[in-house]
Each structure stands twice: as structure tokens, then as C-alpha cells.
Amino acid sequence: MATRVLSQKEQDIQMMLAAAVHLGARNCDFQMERYVYKRRNDGVHIINLGKTWEKLQLAARVIVAIENPQDIIVQSARPYGQRAVLKFAQYTGAHPIAGRHTPGTFTNQLQTSFSEPRLLILTDPRTDHQPIKESALGNIPTISFCDTDSPMRYVDIGIPANNKGKHSIGCLFWLLARMVLQMRGTIPLGRKWEVMVDLFFYRDPEEAKEQAEEEAPVAPDFGAVPDYGAMVPNDQWTTEQWMPEVGAAPAAVPPVAGVEWTAGQG
Amino acid sequence: MAERGGGDRGGFGRGFGRGFGRGRGRGDRGRGRRGGGRRDEEEKWVPVTKLGRLVKEGKITSLEQIYLHSLPVKEHQIIDTLLGGRLKDEVMKIMPVQKQTRAGQRTRFKAFVVVGDTDGHVGLGVKCAKEVATAIRGAIILAKLSVIPVRRGYWGNKIGKPHTVPCKVTGKCGSVTVRMVPAPRGAGIVAARVPKKVLQFAGIEDVFTSSRGSTKTLGNFVKATFDCLMKTYGFLTPDFWMETRFSKSPFQEYTDLLAKPTKAILLENTEVVEA
């Protein structure tokens, strides 16, 4: 819409709009009313993204204030949030829990998985209600992405957002991670982050398998030598890929068998 | 150790004297076996919780630091380290409870133990177990875990040390309500046998009490006085009107110390030996 250069905040909000972060649920919890702009004719509540951005900043400040990032636990029971949680933890140094939260991880000191985090980040207070209950017993502050119909009990910082769509959750975790890294100074402000948002999106298992199959025959073209023996099975190499690869491969050693090929190159 | 033995024997005598012969044999056997090989295990405490580690290192020196940040205490050795020798315990009652099975009744023993340092800290533990000694041991541990600070104040004239409750407080458990009223010095603890014991452990010297409900049920009676003592620090008096000056939680202050792994190092050593 705007023809001038957009500020960082405006660019982020544009991305959030594309990811449908602003679309809430048809019900609205009374504590989330302050973040809702309006209710559409079809019943969907529209979340004020400016407030979402501010809450993200607040959450990022809290995350940065924890000296040891390993003491932060990011959690998602829902499949849509699991990849995002793992990537977030990878880039910020937090500890991810994807999948089922074993009851007692924060309260039962006899459990092997017992941990006492300083901070808890969740994707949905409704599905992740068990960690919320336990953190209340253990003096653990909780940050969570809350939809318009999410219960806010024991959630200390609620970030109003759509936590139902996979693009939305991915986008939010990407933004939060980028904000944390910018505040820590790892990434300079203003510049684009090389990590793509798509990395945080949930991939369906079929989608993931298709992509892996696409990558397998494509990889030898790149000329990455150590990969040859590992990635492609000997039969495929000698019968199909061999002829077109003669030109591409730098060495002129004629292969007798796949094994010798790797021995010569590796 | 010696105190505990003495306290137990006193409790035993009282509890058993009330007419219950079956468990006496079991209890005696338990008592006899105790004392010898126990020392070793108790020395080697490996803390599991963050708070435990801080207490073992000596970074936390008083219970008040724990109370200030409302940190849950999960290991009784924490209390042992902080209150140590000053803590005395007393078995209030051993109550046999039964459950019906097709092969007769299954009896278990419920032990009520009060723990305290007669200077502002009390704890109450209730544990049920198949043997009396196990129940008492478990109850002592639970009592230590539940140690609470007791606020003392003056009746009039703030001379000397606080000796009575700061204000009228009341506690309730089940049908039993216990009401504590500040008393002038020299009045002593004016209460029934059961709450008197608890109040002595708390370090309250003078108090008037009044109770209501079925005080025969010792469990509820003792829990009601404990609840009453808990409320002494919950009562907002003008001295608390000043704004709180927040201090860093010990987990934040000692985050570097806590970040150091303990188990990982042990595992590494064993792996090296095996390889």
C-alpha cells in the first residue's frame, strides 16, 4: 500500500498479515478484549497487530534478561508448533520440548526429566495447560501466544495472535527469535535476517518426504564430492547418473564400480 | 538423633498407652534396628533441586531467604542444613487406620509429627505407612518440608523480645477452629495439650486460645493450630505498609553456579573408566 520504504515494524506487520496472524477465533475471552480491534461480520475477531508487535518486543526483552538461555523452555504439544519451537531453540539457545509434556517435569524432583526452568514459552494455553499448571507451582513466569479465546490464567505475558494456523505460528516464532537475537546484539538492527521464515513453518510428513525425494537426484549436480558415495546407491550411479556426470566431474578416472569411485575421490 | 529417640519413645508411650497392642511388637522391632548404619547415607546428600544445590554450597544461609521468594522446598536436607541441630521433633499420635479386604483388615499407621526450633519455625508432617517406624520417619521428613515461619508480637509495651501472637488469628481444619489471642507476659500458653505442644515448638511464650468443633480428632486439631500459625504472617499490619524493595531471586543471582552441570561430570568419569 505505502510507496515509501517501510520501517522494520511495518514490514513485520505486513508479514504477519500475510501469515494471517491477525485472524482470531470466533469467541473472545474477556481478558483478550483489549487486543481485539473489531469483530468481523462472519464472527471472526480481528487482532490489533500493533499490540501484537509490542507484546512480542516485551516478551523478547524478558527472554534476553535471562542470563543463561538454557534455563528457558519453549514448548508445543501441537504438531503445528513443534518445528517452530525446535528452530527457535536452535537459534536462541533455549531448551525445546516438542510433543507431550510429561506431567511432573517441573514438580517431581524424582523424575529423570525433572527441570527447573527460569522461563516458559508456550504456543497455546489451552493445549499446553499442563505446563502452565506446573509452572504456577514452581514460581516459573510464563509467556504464551494467546488467541482471542485462550484462557489467560497463570499466563504472565500473553501475546495476542492466531495460534491455529501453521504459517502464523511459524511467523511468530521467527519474529520472536529475530527480536531476541537483535536485542542480544547477535544480529545488527535494520538488516534482514538470513534465516527464512519458511524454516519455522510446519511441514506435513508427505510434503517433507516429497522434498527429500526431489533433493536426492539433484544433489550430485552440485559437485559435492564426499556426498557421492553416501547419498546415491551404487546401481543408480553407474547406470543412470554416470553418463551425464562424466562432463561435470573434474577427475577423469573411469569407474569400474561404485566402491572404487569413492575410494579414488575420497 | 538422641532427641529423636527420646521423643519417639515419649510419643510411643502416649500413643500405645491408649489401648492398642497389635502394633507394639512391630514398633519395638523397628526401634531396635535403627541407629547403626544410618549415618553414612545421611552424610552423602546429592541435591536434586536448584535450591538444594544452593543450600549445599552454602549460598543460602537462612530459611528467610527461601520464604522471601516463596521457593518450594522439596528436599528435607535443606531444612536440616539450615536449621540443623536446633530442630526438635515430637510424635503427636500414632493412629491405626484400617481398610477392609476379603482377607480381613489391612491396618496401616498414621503418624503425626510436629517439628520445631522453639524460635519461630514449626512444621507439621502426617504420614501413613505399614510400619510405625516407617510412618514416623516419613512424617518427620514431611514435617521438615512444611516448616513455616511464625510471627510473634507484643501484647502491649514493646519491651524485650516478642513473646505472643501479633494479633487475634484463627485457623480451621475440618470442623475444628482454633483461635489465638495475644496474652500478657507470664500468662503462659493457655491451651489444650495438643495445641500447647505445637505452640511450644513455635516459640510462642504467652497466648490465650479458644477452640471449637470436634477437637477429639487430633489430626484436624493439630492442623487447625498449624493453619492458625501460618496466618500470623499473612495478616497485614501497619508495619507492612511500606513499599517492598524487591531483591533478586537466588536462582537469578547464582545462575552461573547453577549452570555448572553436576551429573554430566560424574557420567564422564565413569565413561572414561569403562573405555
Side-chain angles (χ1 to χ4, degrees):
Chain A
M1 294 290 281
T3 43
R4 58 176 164 79
V5 174
L6 295 170
S7 77
Q8 180 76 286
K9 178 175 179 179
E10 288 172 341
Q11 278 179 0
D12 292 344
I13 294 185
Q14 215 177 31
M15 184 188 290
M16 287 202 269
L17 281 168
V21 171
H22 62 296
L23 297 174
R26 282 168 202 270
N27 288 327
C28 185
D29 194 67
F30 78 105
Q31 284 176 316
M32 292 296 287
E33 271 172 19
R34 56 214 293 236
Y35 302 117
V36 166
Y37 166 65
K38 201 171 135 161
R39 191 178 196 191
R40 250 188 354 206
N41 289 341
D42 55 355
V44 169
H45 290 93
I46 309 288
I47 298 172
N48 187 336
L49 285 181
K51 302 205 175 144
T52 305
W53 198 86
E54 306 280 322
K55 269 334 232 337
L56 275 170
Q57 287 278 72
L58 180 64
R61 290 179 72 174
V62 172
I63 295 172
V64 167
I66 307 278
E67 294 91 351
N68 182 11
Q70 278 287 324
D71 282 336
I72 303 174
I73 287 196
V74 214
Q75 204 160 357
S76 173
R78 293 225 313 262
Y80 277 12
Q82 285 174 15
R83 189 170 184 224
V85 149
L86 288 164
K87 293 295 174 199
F88 180 88
Q90 181 188 345
Y91 288 106
T92 51
H95 182 76
I97 297 184
R100 183 166 185 262
H101 168 95
T102 316
T105 28
F106 302 150
T107 48
N108 188 357
Q109 71 272 24
L110 303 172
Q111 261 187 12
T112 46
S113 55
F114 177 64
S115 68
E116 292 170 282
R118 295 275 315 281
L119 182 65
L120 188 60
I121 305 176
L122 303 169
T123 36
D124 185 358
R126 197 158 259 139
T127 47
D128 300 320
H129 63 285
Q130 183 60 35
I132 289 184
K133 228 188 307 177
E134 291 188 13
S135 65
L137 290 166
N139 301 11
I140 305 167
T142 307
I143 299 178
S144 170
F145 294 114
C146 298
D147 210 333
T148 46
D149 62 352
S150 299
M152 301 280 277
R153 181 171 293 149
Y154 290 127
V155 174
D156 299 301
I157 297 183
I159 303 170
N162 174 17
N163 57 12
K164 310 278 193 296
K166 57 183 171 189
H167 298 298
S168 171
I169 297 179
C171 173
L172 286 160
F173 270 111
W174 183 84
L175 280 170
L176 192 57
R178 200 195 63 188
M179 281 183 194
V180 169
L181 292 173
Q182 276 174 347
M183 282 187 196
R184 283 200 194 141
T186 326
I187 303 178
L189 282 158
R191 234 183 350 143
K192 244 175 84 153
W193 196 20
E194 330 78 59
V195 173
M196 282 200 307
V197 201
D198 306 53
L199 194 64
F200 285 65
F201 290 161
Y202 168 73
R203 282 200 309 185
D204 282 322
E206 303 97 48
E207 213 188 293
K209 228 200 309 179
E210 278 172 27
Q211 207 161 5
E213 281 171 9
E214 276 175 39
E215 277 168 10
V218 170
D221 280 26
F222 293 142
V225 175
D227 288 342
Y228 286 112
M231 277 205 68
V232 186
N234 296 339
D235 304 323
Q236 218 177 335
W237 184 235
T238 44
T239 57
E240 288 173 351
Q241 307 298 328
W242 175 227
M243 291 316 289
E245 286 335 293
V246 175
V253 177
V256 176
V259 182
E260 267 184 49
W261 179 241
T262 48
Q265 293 295 316
Chain B
M1 286 291 177
E3 296 164 333
R4 200 198 296 176
D8 282 351
R9 237 164 265 125
F12 268 54
R14 274 213 316 215
F16 280 35
R18 265 172 226 159
F20 166 79
R22 213 195 306 162
R24 206 181 294 147
R26 270 183 244 153
D28 282 351
R29 260 185 271 128
R31 237 189 300 150
R33 232 184 282 134
R34 231 187 314 130
R38 189 68 52 77
R39 310 289 157 99
D40 248 24
E41 302 163 21
E42 292 188 50
E43 316 262 340
K44 287 185 258 163
W45 168 38
V46 179
V48 181
T49 55
K50 277 199 219 176
L51 185 59
R53 282 166 68 182
L54 289 177
V55 167
K56 181 137 191 237
E57 304 279 325
K59 300 292 178 200
I60 294 188
T61 45
S62 85
L63 264 183
E64 272 54 48
Q65 285 171 304
I66 299 180
Y67 294 141
L68 184 61
H69 298 279
S70 312
L71 304 172
V73 174
K74 303 236 165 168
E75 298 177 287
H76 72 281
Q77 295 94 335
I78 293 174
I79 307 286
D80 274 332
T81 325
L82 292 173
L83 284 181
R86 300 201 302 270
L87 220 50
K88 287 197 240 309
D89 53 57
E90 167 103 16
V91 178
M92 303 290 288
K93 181 168 185 171
I94 307 284
M95 189 165 80
V97 285
Q98 292 179 336
K99 155 181 150 161
Q100 191 78 307
T101 58
R102 69 162 88 112
Q105 282 115 325
R106 203 271 317 263
T107 323
R108 294 201 306 175
F109 300 95
K110 196 162 167 178
F112 295 90
V113 170
V114 176
V115 117
D117 72 342
T118 64
D119 195 26
H121 299 102
V122 244
L124 172 67
V126 181
K127 183 89 177 127
C128 192
K130 283 191 276 194
E131 286 178 19
V132 182
T134 323
I136 292 177
R137 218 178 306 138
I140 292 178
I141 292 179
L142 285 176
K144 288 188 184 153
L145 253 42
S146 77
V147 168
I148 223 107
V150 171
R151 187 171 185 210
R152 289 158 297 167
Y154 299 96
W155 173 78
N157 283 352
K158 296 197 174 61
I159 315 172
K161 291 250 163 222
H163 58 105
T164 183
V165 210
C167 53
K168 294 186 194 170
V169 275
T170 163
K172 185 169 160 73
C173 179
S175 79
V176 182
T177 67
V178 170
R179 184 184 199 219
M180 305 203 302
V181 169
R185 250 183 243 278
I189 302 176
V190 181
R193 226 172 333 155
V194 168
K196 187 173 186 143
K197 242 298 82 76
V198 181
L199 292 167
Q200 278 171 344
F201 274 92
I204 293 180
E205 295 159 17
D206 314 282
V207 70
F208 293 141
T209 59
S210 146
S211 59
R212 187 167 195 258
S214 173
T215 56
K216 246 175 28 159
T217 45
L218 192 131
N220 283 346
F221 203 6
V222 96
K223 277 205 223 165
T225 55
F226 189 66
D227 179 51
C228 195
L229 290 170
M230 251 203 287
K231 288 190 178 171
T232 55
Y233 261 118
F235 203 99
L236 219 206
T237 58
D239 6 333
F240 291 144
W241 284 355
M242 244 195 10
E243 231 184 87
T244 21
R245 293 164 104 233
F246 295 108
S247 57
K248 277 196 186 181
S249 140
F251 293 162
Q252 189 183 3
E253 231 185 291
Y254 300 109
T255 184
D256 305 310
L257 175 67
L258 289 169
K260 286 194 221 145
T262 45
K263 270 195 195 158
I265 299 173
L266 291 170
L267 280 172
E268 267 182 60
N269 286 339
T270 51
E271 277 173 45
V272 165
V273 170
E274 283 165 17

